[in-house]
């Protein structure tokens, strides 16, 4: 009798699952918020977008082209990180929509038109791929609308006229407390070439050492010229440096051409003649007059390109040679990068004093400017970017609190179905089938 009751109960449960797919096997939604369902496509979209971003970073930062799931991100296994990210992002999407509606905010007709145009363009080129991943056009539209709502909520609180608007004086003080203003020149170091066993040969080491001595001597020559030169007048040193780079490249190009001609005219010419030109070229000053990598991922600078002059204007940009960097907001990992170490050096320098600096990549001349000479103008020209730097963490705390207040129930069956590995495998399969189309 007991066994019969168990069988009956199991059959009843099976029938209930069949009659109510939403409670037992429906994976078309990833969570419920009160009585509303959040499409699984939004979750997959968040998962896929972050996956693509992280894979790109792995390639550019570490040269990783495969075995992504053997890597870690933020101390977590790649798949775990992506699952956690997508779930958090989807919860935040729900919280944004809820708060946006609660405050009675609306997207403008222009915003809706922009989103629709973006969807049309995306679907023309990627629609088939998204559908292969289980992401509908409607899910992408909802995700994009959510992103715009998030921007509008941020402005609702912090932009001009907002509930907690940031004043001009507050922004200027933030710049004075956190930003560095500087100019730089670099002379690239030459690294010894390696043989087939990846060991530097004695001749290449000697050649690299000689090239580096030449680069250091040239740096010191320019440093001597910069003594007593103010931050503003340092532009003249940069102009001279640029002329030097141009003449050096021209001379190296001419030398390489002559070497090629000589090699073709004489069958007895050694193949090593080209190595001299290559060694000389690699020891010249960097073509980049700024010489410092100001990636936003490292420096958190509001704007790497600090031109406040309209590109259509004939007036020259007075700030073309300088950089503004938010050193105060960099974390320890950012400060430990090449760029972070350069900024640390700048932070300890006196203004208007050209200073020598060296790392594994180059020999530098750095000069620090007074941030207060430009803070008001820079704050005006880069208002939105600086506002995000100032208030993003605070806004994130608000968003987290909104999520916590919602009645969210996660559909774990959907989470288990749309794993990062499944999403990745579908992507690989799709592009493998369509690589020649």
């Amino acid at each position: 009798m007991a066994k019969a009751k168990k069988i009956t109960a199991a059959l009843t449960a099976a029938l209930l699952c069949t009659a109510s797919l939403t409670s037992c096997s429906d994976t078309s939604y990833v969570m419920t918020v009160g009585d509303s369902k959040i499409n699984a496509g939004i979750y997959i979209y968040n998962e896929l977008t972050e996956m693509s971003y992280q894979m790109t970073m792995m390639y550019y930062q570490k040269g990783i082209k495969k075995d992504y799931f053997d890597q870690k991100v933020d101390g977590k296994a790649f798949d775990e990180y992506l699952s956690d990210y997508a779930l958090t992002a989807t919860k935040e999407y729900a919280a944004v929509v809820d708060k946006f509606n609660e405050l009675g905010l609306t997207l403008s007709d222009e915003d809706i038109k922009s989103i629709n145009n973006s969807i049309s363009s995306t679907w023309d080129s990627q629609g088939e791929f998204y559908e292969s991943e289980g992401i509908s056009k409607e899910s992408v539209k909802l995700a994009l609308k959510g992103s715009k709502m998030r921007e509008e909520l941020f402005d609702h609180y912090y932009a001009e006229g907002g509930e907690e608007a940031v004043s001009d004086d507050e922004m200027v003080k933030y710049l004075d407390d956190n930003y560095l203003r500087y100019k730089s020149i670099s002379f690239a170091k030459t690294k010894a070439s390696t043989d087939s066993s990846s060991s530097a040969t004695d001749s290449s080491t000697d050649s690299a050492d000689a090239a580096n001595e030449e680069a250091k001597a040239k740096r010191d020559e320019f440093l001597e010229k910069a003594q007593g030169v103010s931050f503003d007048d340092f532009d003249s040193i940069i102009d001279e440096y640029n002329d030097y780079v141009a003449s050096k490249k021209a001379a190296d190009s001419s030398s390489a051409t002559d070497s090629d001609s000589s090699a073709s005219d004489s069958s007895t010419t050694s193949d090593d003649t080209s190595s001299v030109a290559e060694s000389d070229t690699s020891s010249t000053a960097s073509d980049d007059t700024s010489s410092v990598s100001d990636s936003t991922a490292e420096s958190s600078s509001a704007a790497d390109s600090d031109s406040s002059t309209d590109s259509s204007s004939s007036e020259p940009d007075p700030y073309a040679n300088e950089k503004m960097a938010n050193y105060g907001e960099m974390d320890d990992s950012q400060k430990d990068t090449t760029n972070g170490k350069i900024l640390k050096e700048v932070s300890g320098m006196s203004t208007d004093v050209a200073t020598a600096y060296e790392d594994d990549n180059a020999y530098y001349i750095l000069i620090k400017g007074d941030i207060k000479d430009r803070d008001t103008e820079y704050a005006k020209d880069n208002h939105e970017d600086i506002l995000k730097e100032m208030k993003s963490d605070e806004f994130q705390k608000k968003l987290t609190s909104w999520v916590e207040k919602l009645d969210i129930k996660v559909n774990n069956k959907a989470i288990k179905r749309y794993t990062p590995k499944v999403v990745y495998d579908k992507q690989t399969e799709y592009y493998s089938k369509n690589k020649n189309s």
Side-chain angles (χ1 to χ4, degrees):
M1 179 66 71
K3 185 175 181 180
K5 285 183 177 180
K6 287 182 180 180
I7 293 174
T8 301
L11 290 172
T12 301
L15 288 171
L16 286 172
C17 282
T18 302
S20 180
L21 292 175
T22 57
S23 62
C24 295
S25 60
D26 188 358
T27 56
S28 65
Y29 71 99
V30 75
M31 64 181 66
T32 58
V33 182
D35 296 329
S36 301
K37 294 177 180 178
I38 305 298
N39 293 352
I42 296 175
Y43 173 84
I44 304 169
Y45 178 82
N46 289 329
E47 197 170 38
L48 180 64
T49 301
E50 182 65 9
M51 179 187 295
S52 298
Y53 171 76
Q54 291 297 337
M55 286 165 57
T56 300
M57 290 299 100
M58 287 179 190
Y59 173 74
Y60 281 110
Q61 294 176 357
K62 301 178 182 178
I64 295 172
K65 300 179 181 179
K66 58 181 181 178
D67 300 328
Y68 301 109
F69 286 84
D70 292 336
Q71 311 305 316
K72 288 190 174 183
V73 178
D74 290 348
K76 296 180 180 179
F78 190 42
D79 57 349
E80 180 185 2
Y81 166 82
L82 290 173
S83 294
D84 290 349
Y85 175 90
L87 186 59
T88 298
T90 307
K91 288 179 179 179
E92 289 181 352
Y93 159 82
V96 162
V97 173
D98 181 76
K99 178 58 69 172
F100 192 85
N101 293 331
E102 177 190 318
L103 294 172
L105 302 177
T106 57
L107 295 179
S108 68
D109 291 342
E110 185 179 346
D111 289 334
I112 296 299
K113 182 179 179 181
S114 176
I115 290 170
N116 287 336
N117 287 341
S118 179
I119 290 293
S120 295
S121 176
T122 298
W123 226 252
D124 286 343
S125 60
Q126 293 285 88
E128 187 177 329
F129 165 65
Y130 279 123
E131 289 176 346
S132 75
E133 287 282 7
I135 304 171
S136 69
K137 192 174 186 178
E138 179 64 17
S139 289
V140 176
K141 183 175 182 178
L142 289 172
L144 294 183
K145 286 180 69 175
S147 295
K148 188 59 183 177
M149 288 179 181
R150 184 170 179 151
E151 293 176 13
E152 293 297 314
L153 280 170
F154 183 90
D155 288 345
H156 172 81
Y157 287 100
Y158 304 116
E160 183 178 358
E163 291 185 12
E164 302 169 32
V166 175
S167 70
D168 292 340
D169 288 343
E170 288 177 305
M171 187 167 287
V172 167
K173 185 179 186 304
Y174 177 82
L175 286 173
D176 292 346
D177 290 345
N178 293 282
Y179 269 64
L180 294 175
R181 181 186 182 202
Y182 68 99
K183 297 174 183 176
S184 64
I185 294 174
S186 73
F187 298 81
K189 287 185 175 180
T190 300
K191 295 183 179 180
S193 59
T194 58
D195 58 18
S196 58
S197 64
S198 298
S199 300
T201 62
D202 290 340
S203 61
S204 68
T205 300
D206 290 343
S207 178
D209 289 344
N212 288 334
E213 284 297 321
E214 179 184 347
K216 183 175 183 296
K218 184 59 68 174
R219 187 279 307 273
D220 292 344
E221 178 185 324
F222 273 85
L223 180 63
E224 181 64 28
K225 295 178 182 180
Q227 295 309 301
V229 175
S230 69
F231 180 78
D232 289 340
D233 291 339
F234 190 75
D235 285 349
S236 64
I237 304 298
I238 292 178
D239 289 341
E240 188 174 345
Y241 160 83
N242 288 337
D243 290 341
Y244 160 75
V245 172
S247 63
K248 183 69 174 174
K249 288 181 69 175
D252 288 341
S253 177
S254 176
S255 176
T257 301
D258 291 344
S259 176
D260 290 343
S261 176
S262 175
S264 64
D265 289 342
S266 175
S267 62
T268 60
T269 301
S270 169
D271 290 340
D272 291 338
T273 56
S274 62
S275 67
V276 177
E278 290 168 0
S279 175
D280 289 345
T281 301
S282 60
S283 68
T284 63
S286 167
D287 291 347
D288 179 3
T289 57
S290 68
S291 76
V292 181
S293 171
D294 281 305
S295 166
T296 54
E298 294 183 349
S299 70
S300 301
S301 172
D304 292 332
S305 179
D306 296 325
S307 172
S308 59
T309 305
D310 191 320
S311 60
S312 64
S313 172
S314 60
E315 292 294 322
D317 178 8
Y319 307 117
N321 291 324
E322 68 179 65
K323 294 289 182 180
M324 299 279 281
N326 189 346
Y327 180 68
E329 292 285 359
M330 292 176 75
D331 59 31
D332 289 342
S333 64
Q334 291 170 326
K335 288 181 179 179
D336 195 41
T337 62
T338 296
N339 185 59
K341 291 174 182 178
I342 290 173
L343 294 178
K344 180 179 180 180
E345 179 73 14
V346 173
S347 70
M349 290 165 46
S350 300
T351 57
D352 295 300
V353 178
T355 304
Y357 176 72
E358 173 187 351
D359 61 19
D360 291 340
N361 302 309
Y363 301 98
Y364 301 87
I365 301 174
L366 306 172
I367 188 166
K368 181 181 180 181
D370 190 340
I371 187 68
K372 293 184 178 181
D373 290 342
R374 194 185 170 192
D375 52 8
T376 301
E377 181 182 5
Y378 189 81
K380 179 181 178 181
D381 293 336
N382 300 277
H383 183 88
E384 291 186 11
D385 290 326
I386 300 171
L387 186 61
K388 290 176 182 177
E389 290 182 10
M390 293 179 67
K391 293 299 181 179
S392 287
D393 288 347
E394 186 177 311
F395 181 71
Q396 182 61 48
K397 290 178 182 178
K398 289 182 184 293
L399 183 49
T400 299
S401 71
W402 300 339
V403 170
E404 292 171 349
K405 292 176 183 177
L406 292 181
D407 177 24
I408 296 177
K409 292 183 174 60
V410 176
N411 181 0
N412 288 314
K413 287 185 180 295
I415 300 296
K416 291 178 180 178
R417 177 179 179 182
Y418 306 115
T419 66
K421 191 65 170 62
V422 167
V423 172
Y424 175 77
D425 287 344
K426 284 185 177 181
Q427 175 180 267
T428 302
E429 180 181 3
Y430 176 83
Y431 285 113
S432 177
K433 287 182 179 179
N434 295 275
K435 64 182 178 180
N436 295 320
S437 62

